[in-house]
Amino acid sequence: MSNFMYLFRGGDENFKRLSQEEKQAHMQVWGEWMGGLKEKGQLLDGLPLSDDGKVVHKKGELVTNGPHAEGAEVVGGYLIVSANDLDEAVEISKGCPIFDYDGAYVEVREIMSMDTH
């Protein structure tokens, strides 16, 4: 088994336009999906990320407000899952509720150890 990181990109603007009731309903879908992964022993960690942040350049000599990129490029959250291989990790990601929003996507990356990197 290996660990994989899901980086969630896009969908934030669509989510912000929902009513409070719609947001709660959508978060319930996320909770059910993540709960299912946890029950199977596949979910290891994951949280949403704040919209605010800083971007550090040039060994800390330049610090700017950020992230500032196209809405679909900003990472809105992450999960760490356990899967047999990349293909299985991709298959698991297909049930993600982020796909309810046009233009949103999941980047799936294997987490490497420092020894094998």
Side-chain angles (χ1 to χ4, degrees), residues 8 28 41 52 72 74 101-102:
F8 301 118
Q28 183 174 349
D52 297 328
V74 174
Y101 301 112
D102 288 337

Side-chain angles (χ1 to χ4, degrees), residues 73-85:
E73 295 300 317
V74 174
V75 177
Y78 73 95
L79 287 185
I80 298 175
V81 300
S82 179
N84 289 314
D85 55 30

Side-chain angles (χ1 to χ4, degrees), residues 2-67:
S2 297
N3 294 337
F4 295 85
M5 179 171 279
Y6 293 171
L7 298 171
F8 301 118
R9 298 180 188 264
D12 292 335
E13 291 303 316
N14 291 321
F15 183 78
K16 289 176 184 176
R17 286 189 226 122
L18 298 177
S19 69
Q20 190 59 36
E21 293 80 21
E22 291 170 321
K23 287 179 183 177
Q24 288 175 342
H26 190 72
M27 293 311 296
Q28 183 174 349
V29 172
W30 274 91
E32 291 169 3
W33 181 65
M34 291 172 62
L37 295 178
K38 189 171 185 172
E39 285 178 16
K40 296 175 188 171
Q42 295 172 315
L43 177 64
L44 303 178
D45 195 7
L47 292 168
L49 298 174
S50 168
D51 291 339
D52 297 328
K54 298 284 184 180
V55 179
V56 181
H57 303 269
K58 300 181 182 181
K59 297 183 181 181
E61 293 177 23
L62 176 62
V63 179
T64 60
N65 291 329

